[in-house]
Amino acid sequence: MKYGASGFPIKPVCEEIQRVADLGFDYFELSMDPPEGHWTKICELENQIMAILADTGMPVICHLPCFVYTPDLTPAIRRASLDEMKHSLDAAAGINVHKAVLYPGYITGMGMFAMDAAKKYAHTALTAIVAHARDLNIQLCFENMFPSYHLNFEPESFEDLFKEFPGLKMTLDTGHANIGDPEQTRLGQFVTRFAPYIGHVHISDNFGKKDDHMAVGKGNIDFKSLVSSLKQAGYDDTITFEVFSANTDDLVNSRERIEFLFSNA
């Protein structure tokens, strides 16, 4: 298993890489959101980023931009959003990224009253992004979301995706799966139904109300059951800790707790 941590795109990328390396993680997950993670910044700093990755011995995974609107009903917004995704993939390839996390588009505004059209636009964008990533030899890992995204948050919505895009993998996000799921069955269903497609995992905790990004054990997610299911399924790949706490111990302790659960599952 390889354990990584996310950078905070408000802070300089090279400083974040060094921080994650100093905490003993195996790799760095680059959040490609502005201001510091935007693709223009990554291209500008490509040589420096490559140097610090080499110096720390850290591979890098990227998280493509979160705050773009590929399903928007306005054509110019859709075009700009898709351009941001493609440029981000190009910048990622420039720093030897081979795995990228992809959010489904966020349906908002009038799109909530024209869901069929918004979903069609999201699908069109996904088709283009998948093709671009394939050309760059980057593995896309499509992330499960939560109900306010209005798509791709229930296991059922992933069935057709994996049939249509056989090269697509999944980023299983524990925090997202727990939101709006009082019975706490959704996370287990994702593992049971899609274990062969899981190519990346995001770990954080919450109480099922919002995406709090808390440390493992601070919310109500049953990580013992999750780890048992993942281990039984043979998962042995990348796990990124998205624990956004001012206390660094929360991040490190979360990794140590998950490591312990895997070793004792």
Side-chain angles (χ1 to χ4, degrees):
M1 201 76 67
K2 293 181 176 63
Y3 298 106
S6 293
F8 186 32
I10 295 298
K11 297 183 178 180
V13 171
C14 291
E15 291 181 12
E16 286 292 272
I17 294 171
Q18 189 65 58
R19 177 182 67 87
V20 168
D22 289 345
L23 292 173
F25 285 90
D26 299 316
Y27 67 89
F28 176 72
E29 184 163 321
L30 169 64
S31 298
M32 299 190 76
D33 286 304
E36 297 297 328
H38 192 255
W39 63 268
T40 53
K41 196 79 169 181
I42 302 308
C43 291
E44 175 188 332
L45 298 174
E46 182 177 303
N47 290 337
Q48 293 95 311
I49 291 172
M50 292 296 290
I52 195 168
L53 290 172
D55 185 57
T56 58
M58 297 260 288
V60 60
I61 288 172
C62 82
H63 193 313
L64 294 170
C66 298
F67 306 106
V68 294
Y69 301 92
T70 53
D72 201 90
L73 301 185
T74 304
I77 294 175
R78 291 199 304 275
R79 287 194 298 270
S81 295
L82 182 56
D83 284 346
E84 286 294 309
M85 288 297 196
K86 289 181 175 180
H87 289 316
S88 296
L89 281 167
D90 292 338
I95 56 171
N96 292 338
V97 167
H98 295 292
K99 181 184 290 187
V101 177
L102 174 65
Y103 267 16
Y106 183 41
I107 297 178
T108 186
M110 292 297 105
M112 290 184 288
F113 301 97
M115 290 295 288
D116 287 345
K119 288 179 179 180
K120 182 188 75 172
Y121 295 140
H123 181 271
T124 298
L126 177 60
T127 302
I129 295 166
V130 166
H132 198 67
R134 184 175 58 243
D135 290 344
L136 295 170
N137 196 30
I138 293 177
Q139 173 65 66
L140 278 184
C141 296
F142 199 63
E143 186 165 350
N144 61 295
M145 296 309 297
F146 41 87
S148 65
Y149 262 70
H150 303 291
L151 78 168
N152 300 116
F153 64 92
E154 292 288 6
E156 291 75 16
S157 63
F158 283 77
E159 291 280 1
D160 291 337
L161 278 174
F162 293 132
K163 290 177 183 176
E164 183 173 358
F165 304 104
L168 192 65
K169 293 289 187 178
M170 179 183 185
T171 294
L172 177 63
D173 188 293
T174 62
H176 292 175
N178 195 50
I179 295 171
D181 182 33
E183 301 299 319
Q184 293 189 300
T185 59
R186 193 187 296 141
L187 184 56
Q189 288 176 26
F190 272 121
V191 179
T192 300
R193 295 174 65 170
F194 302 113
Y197 297 98
I198 298 173
H200 188 47
V201 176
H202 280 169
I203 294 282
S204 69
D205 208 346
N206 62 50
F207 284 104
K209 301 297 184 183
K210 57 182 181 177
D211 200 16
D212 295 304
H213 290 281
M214 295 190 300
V216 171
K218 295 291 181 72
N220 65 4
I221 295 176
D222 186 353
F223 285 102
K224 185 176 181 179
S225 294
L226 170 68
V227 167
S228 179
S229 298
L230 287 172
K231 190 165 183 179
Q232 185 175 1
Y235 186 77
D236 187 20
D237 209 325
T238 48
I239 295 179
T240 293
F241 291 85
E242 291 192 320
V243 175
F244 303 153
S245 168
N247 185 352
T248 300
D249 289 344
D250 286 338
L251 178 59
V252 174
N253 291 341
S254 294
R255 181 190 68 209
E256 291 176 349
R257 184 161 183 174
I258 295 297
E259 284 183 307
F260 176 81
L261 289 175
F262 268 104
S263 65
N264 289 277

